[in-house]
Amino acid sequence: MASPASPDNSDLLTEIDHQAPALIHVVTKASQLPPFFLEPSCEQNLVVGFDCEGVALARHGQLCIMQLAFNDGIYLVDALEGGGDLIQACRPALESAYVTKVIHDCKRDSEALFYQYGIRLNNVFDTQISYSLIEEQEGKTWKPDDHISFVDLLADERYCGISYNEKEEVRGLLKKNPEFWKQRPLTERMKRVAADDVKFLLHIHQKMVRKLGPLSRWQLKLRGSLYCRCFCVDAGVYQDWPDLPGPPDEIEAELSELQEILSAVDVPPGKMGYIIGKKGASILRIKESCKADIFTGGAKGPPDKVFVIGIMKEVRKAEAMLRGRIGVRSM
């Protein structure tokens, strides 16, 4: 497979034809990936559409495919056929500050990369976070759990205007066969669905960048960094992660009010039900009382923690309410 020449996709005013058919490459060896991706450089600002597919994708699941979208094609990095060496070859780019990874909801993908391969996903442009920030920037009132799905984002004509009905069909297949992404060889449908999950991300990125103001851009980088760390909670896990992005000069004076943090609240065994409440009523009340993102591990775990992301005042308020539910005093 011939590798394309190094791109210059830092010019966000150059439109991508998101309707054009995408060339799909299945990658089982690092040599099949573009050299400019494998060896990131400060001399170029590379923007890549990014996603992962797997079985129960999280710390204890299995990463099967990693999708990379460039302006001239999509690369399906086969983690099963290529093994750990292939994924490790991608580590420099995944951890690089010079490569922007455009992804929709990075939390579980980051968790899988960290626990399965020791990779600390860095410098993400999370389109789910970006959508919320743009909505708030344009006057929409914040609501808890108001996180747009990828299908709904694609359907939004401001960003893409594409119907993605096959995604719902694949979700049905995954319920019947949770190991769908382990099938080999990859079927044409698997290739198409995997490619479609990243095909439109560069186009959406361009649309969003034009709308984001300086404050929202910094909040996006900071919140994306916190989302990448969200489910990676073992003792000392954060010490080797890249530094969190600082604010631009024009908003530095507002930092004390706008700086967001991540908190992991420990929940004693058997107490998570008190946090959730009947039909989720208890945790919903907490979410409605605090302007912060609050996540539980759910079926994929971790089962003993609640994660809170927001400005310090709101995070501390959420912590107190969560500990109040389980009868633990705040420190």
Side-chain angles (χ1 to χ4, degrees):
M1 179 193 310
S3 294
S6 177
D8 180 9
N9 63 353
S10 59
D11 181 3
L12 297 174
L13 296 180
T14 302
E15 282 288 354
I16 296 169
D17 183 0
H18 65 288
Q19 298 280 18
L23 292 175
I24 300 174
H25 312 282
V26 177
V27 175
T28 57
K29 297 181 294 184
S31 59
Q32 296 172 312
L33 286 166
F36 57 81
F37 174 76
L38 295 173
E39 300 175 4
S41 167
C42 61
E43 297 177 358
Q44 64 180 20
N45 293 313
L46 183 61
V47 181
V48 179
F50 179 71
D51 192 26
C52 297
E53 306 292 353
V55 177
L57 193 63
R59 63 183 60 197
H60 300 304
Q62 185 173 20
L63 175 66
C64 298
I65 300 172
M66 190 167 66
Q67 304 105 292
L68 304 169
F70 299 92
N71 288 344
D72 58 355
I74 294 170
Y75 291 74
L76 306 183
V77 180
D78 192 334
L80 299 186
E81 295 294 324
D85 288 345
L86 175 57
I87 302 302
Q88 291 299 336
C90 299
R91 176 196 286 264
L94 297 179
E95 295 186 342
S96 176
Y98 307 128
V99 180
T100 299
K101 279 70 66 173
V102 185
I103 184 173
H104 190 84
D105 191 1
C106 63
K107 296 188 296 297
R108 290 299 187 186
D109 296 56
S110 179
E111 180 188 18
L113 287 168
F114 180 77
Y115 283 102
Q116 295 178 39
Y117 297 98
I119 293 173
R120 294 165 176 83
L121 187 62
N122 183 37
N123 192 25
V124 299
F125 184 106
D126 193 311
T127 55
Q128 188 177 74
I129 300 172
S130 179
Y131 184 92
S132 295
L133 287 170
I134 292 170
E135 293 292 285
E136 287 187 56
Q137 183 180 279
E138 295 179 350
K140 183 178 178 180
T141 302
W142 181 89
K143 293 188 295 185
D145 292 337
D146 192 17
H147 307 299
I148 192 168
S149 71
F150 187 51
V151 171
D152 287 343
L153 176 60
L154 289 178
D156 191 322
E157 294 189 357
R158 294 173 296 172
Y159 300 107
C160 208
I162 295 290
S163 177
Y164 194 3
N165 295 326
E166 191 168 32
K167 184 73 172 179
E168 299 300 329
E169 295 175 14
V170 171
R171 284 176 179 163
L173 289 175
L174 287 170
K175 288 181 180 179
K176 295 178 181 178
N177 178 18
E179 298 196 344
F180 173 80
W181 289 111
K182 289 180 69 173
Q183 298 178 57
R184 294 297 181 274
L186 294 171
T187 66
E188 290 305 311
R189 185 177 201 181
M190 292 171 74
K191 294 177 189 177
R192 184 176 66 251
V193 171
D196 283 349
D197 276 354
V198 294
K199 176 182 176 182
F200 308 105
L201 287 173
L202 296 181
H203 175 79
I204 293 170
H205 171 262
Q206 287 184 336
K207 296 284 189 180
M208 288 183 162
V209 164
R210 292 191 180 102
K211 291 176 175 287
L212 289 163
L215 172 59
S216 295
R217 290 191 188 195
W218 169 63
Q219 289 176 307
L220 173 61
K221 288 181 71 70
L222 175 58
R223 200 175 298 174
S225 297
L226 296 174
Y227 269 50
C228 282
R229 293 158 167 78
C230 184
F231 291 126
C232 304
V233 294
D234 288 349
V237 74
Y238 297 134
Q239 62 186 8
D240 296 325
W241 285 70
D243 292 338
L244 294 171
D249 293 340
E250 59 264 39
I251 63 168
E252 191 165 3
E254 305 172 61
L255 176 59
S256 60
E257 295 182 3
L258 299 172
Q259 178 76 46
E260 294 187 351
I261 62 172
L262 164 65
S263 174
V265 178
D266 292 315
V267 179
K271 296 286 189 176
M272 187 60 79
Y274 292 97
I275 295 286
I276 303 299
K278 188 175 181 181
K279 296 183 179 179
S282 296
I283 196 166
L284 179 59
R285 281 196 296 271
I286 297 172
K287 290 178 178 181
E288 290 174 341
S289 301
C290 309
K291 189 179 179 182
D293 289 332
I294 301 176
F295 305 104
T296 59
K300 295 181 179 180
D304 58 349
K305 295 185 186 296
V306 179
F307 309 93
V308 188
I309 295 175
I311 62 174
M312 186 172 294
K313 178 179 70 173
E314 299 297 332
V315 170
R316 297 299 180 235
K317 181 179 178 181
E319 288 174 336
M321 295 182 72
L322 288 165
R323 291 183 175 121
R325 290 294 306 168
I326 55 179
V328 176
R329 291 184 180 180
S330 298
M331 301 298 291

